[in-house]
Amino acid sequence: MTVQGDRRKFRREGADQRKEALVRATLGLIAEEGVRGATVRAIAERAEVTQGLIRHYFSTKEDLVLAAYTQHMDALTEQTFAKAEGATPRARLAALVVASVTPPVADAGSVALWAGFLTQVRQDARMQEVHARSYHGFRDRLEALIAEVLAQDGRAADSRDCRPLAIACNAVIDGLWLEGGALPDAFQEGELAAIAVQSVGAILGMNLTGTEAQE
Amino acid sequence: MTVQGDRRKFRREGADQRKEALVRATLGLIAEEGVRGATVRAIAERAEVTQGLIRHYFSTKEDLVLAAYTQHMDALTEQTFAKAEGATPRARLAALVVASVTPPVADAGSVALWAGFLTQVRQDARMQEVHARSYHGFRDRLEALIAEVLAQDGRAADSRDCRPLAIACNAVIDGLWLEGGALPDAFQEGELAAIAVQSVGAILGMNLTGTEAQE
DNA sequence: CGCGTAATTATACGCTTGCATAATTAACCT
DNA sequence: AGGTTAATTATGCAAGCGTATAATTACGCG
């Protein structure tokens, strides 16, 4: 004769699915409510489990946040480069630039997420590592693409020349990404994309406008 | 016969001085420990008062944070433009660009502060207002300076042309400011400044290099 | 000099937080 | 089938949070 209170029914799930659900819940909460809103209880509720389960999969909340940060940054880079398609290197670069300042990569939630994590990046060595890896990962791929574009034009394309260009292009992209996400109403539809393509073209000394649609 | 416990001695101060001390303590804590570390108790301790006094000057902690944010952003803009001196508009622009990506404007604390506040910007209408005012304040002054520079070269300088240029230049500056602050060890001394001057020059279609030292 | 009052301290309350631990139960194994 | 065990829930705890309120005290003013 069991007491049979109104104890909650549940299904057992694989560790990976549960972890991912918890990570998703964490990201959603930080994006919408800020780091402050991402409490253990709120995360559990959004993932439709009870709070104790979090401890079963992540030995501490810090670990969960680290996992969430890693996934978010990886997804951001991947999402951006996935759209960098085209016949010519120049077209791929233009497409990449446009994708960087256009939803879903550039939106208020992504920026809020990024900013929310930055605080913890300064205090947690593991977070710092993910941050550095993510930044360099993006920039190195950007530098490689820039090198391709320059080579196509018969211009010097070794790293000494390309590195500062990549840093500069990355900065414009980041700046516009940030401002678009933090102040969405300050710009017209497509305005940021046009400015981004124009500016990256200027920095590289070539005309990139229109190339994202070519071929 | 007073009980005379070891009650803390204190000095009375003007409202302005106390408010400013509390604001300074708040900014310092957010920069160093993150928003999480800026508790009422920690702020009071750093300002060398007891926590009750905060409520005497700010009716809520939110108000204190708003005051701190306002002061920080205003100081940042002011600090930057204060260094934008020079005989020619071109020299002033170059100096402004360099100052934007050089300490004390660009440093880890300032960036951390900015990121820490961004969360609250999305949730508090008053914070949002300060954010928008601060961004546009900086960009409008930048646009005016760009217009001067273009006019000197005999180029068109109305707002339709200058606005996108100002947005783009602002973005490079912000991007480099951000990356320098968030990842200080990834760049060499002066590297960001050189890239910034180079890139802004490219965007505006002119050579800005070296002008910050001229005259 | 002593009185009044605003500035400051002291204390406490109710809530939320992250984390620990014990009780339960769904699903797999033979 | 039924026992085993890992996944999940339920409950509790100590610490820290922002805020409220009452008790003190420094200081200007007559």
Side-chain angles (χ1 to χ4, degrees), chain A residues 46-64:
Chain A
R46 186 181 261 234
E48 294 183 313
V49 296
T50 54
Q51 50 166 318
L53 196 63
I54 291 185
R55 270 281 287 180
H56 192 256
Y57 287 113
F58 298 92
S59 65
T60 180
K61 189 192 171 187
E62 225 174 25
D63 285 7
L64 170 55

Side-chain angles (χ1 to χ4, degrees), chain B residues 94-126:
Chain B
L96 175 77
V97 170
V98 170
S100 300
V101 297
T102 307
V105 171
D107 84 319
S110 272
V111 172
L113 226 24
W114 182 89
F117 282 126
L118 193 64
T119 296
Q120 329 219 0
V121 166
R122 292 192 67 214
Q123 292 164 342
D124 185 334
R126 292 176 300 169

Side-chain angles (χ1 to χ4, degrees), chain A residues 65-99:
Chain A
V65 170
L66 178 68
Y69 181 52
T70 306
Q71 174 176 310
H72 176 61
M73 294 311 280
D74 288 352
L76 220 49
T77 300
E78 220 40 63
Q79 260 182 330
T80 310
F81 275 93
K83 300 227 171 158
E85 294 185 337
T88 66
R90 194 178 288 213
R92 286 198 290 279
L93 178 58
L96 175 78
V97 170
V98 170

Side-chain angles (χ1 to χ4, degrees), chain A residues 89-102 142 146 149 168-169 172-174 176-177 190-214, chain B residues 164-165 167-168 171-172 202-203:
Chain A
R90 194 178 288 213
R92 286 198 290 279
L93 178 58
L96 175 78
V97 170
V98 170
S100 300
V101 298
T102 307
L142 177 60
I146 288 175
V149 172
C169 292
V172 201
I173 291 173
D174 275 6
L176 293 172
W177 171 81
E191 187 179 19
L192 288 179
I195 292 176
V197 171
Q198 184 74 33
S199 307
V200 169
I203 289 173
L204 299 181
M206 61 177 55
N207 185 9
L208 233 52
T209 311
T211 40
E212 71 269 26
Q214 283 182 0
Chain B
L165 293 177
I167 293 174
V172 203
I203 290 173

Side-chain angles (χ1 to χ4, degrees), chain B residues 7 9-10 12 39-41 51 55 60-61:
Chain B
R7 193 183 180 92
K9 300 288 187 245
F10 61 92
R12 292 189 169 195
T39 70
V40 169
R41 285 166 178 81
Q51 49 167 319
R55 273 282 288 183
T60 179
K61 190 193 172 186

Side-chain angles (χ1 to χ4, degrees), chain B residues 11-179:
Chain B
R11 272 188 42 232
R12 292 189 169 195
E13 298 258 2
D16 289 344
Q17 293 178 61
R18 273 280 136 87
K19 281 191 181 183
E20 207 213 290
L22 289 171
V23 163
R24 256 210 317 274
T26 306
L27 290 176
L29 275 169
I30 297 182
E32 291 168 20
E33 317 276 350
V35 180
R36 203 182 195 97
T39 70
V40 169
R41 285 166 178 81
I43 293 168
E45 186 180 7
R46 186 181 262 235
E48 296 183 310
V49 295
T50 53
Q51 49 167 319
L53 197 62
I54 291 185
R55 273 282 288 183
H56 192 257
Y57 287 113
F58 298 93
S59 66
T60 179
K61 190 193 172 186
E62 226 176 23
D63 284 7
L64 170 56
V65 171
L66 178 68
Y69 181 52
T70 305
Q71 172 175 313
H72 177 60
M73 294 311 281
D74 286 354
L76 220 49
T77 300
E78 219 42 61
Q79 261 182 330
T80 310
F81 275 94
K83 299 226 172 157
E85 293 184 338
T88 65
R90 194 178 289 213
R92 286 198 291 277
L93 177 59
L96 175 77
V97 170
V98 170
S100 300
V101 297
T102 307
V105 171
D107 84 319
S110 272
V111 172
L113 226 24
W114 182 89
F117 282 126
L118 193 64
T119 296
Q120 329 219 0
V121 166
R122 292 192 67 214
Q123 292 164 342
D124 185 334
R126 292 176 300 169
M127 296 277 285
Q128 217 157 344
E129 196 181 343
V130 172
H131 173 66
R133 184 173 57 74
S134 168
Y135 169 72
H136 284 115
F138 185 93
R139 207 187 71 193
D140 288 348
R141 289 171 73 173
L142 176 61
E143 181 178 328
L145 185 50
I146 289 175
E148 273 190 80
V149 173
L150 293 187
Q152 194 103 356
D153 277 18
R155 292 166 58 188
D158 57 75
S159 183
R160 192 179 17 227
D161 301 312
C162 289
R163 175 185 148 98
L165 293 177
I167 293 174
C169 292
N170 188 51
V172 203
I173 291 173
D174 275 6
L176 293 173
W177 172 80
L178 205 79
E179 280 143 29

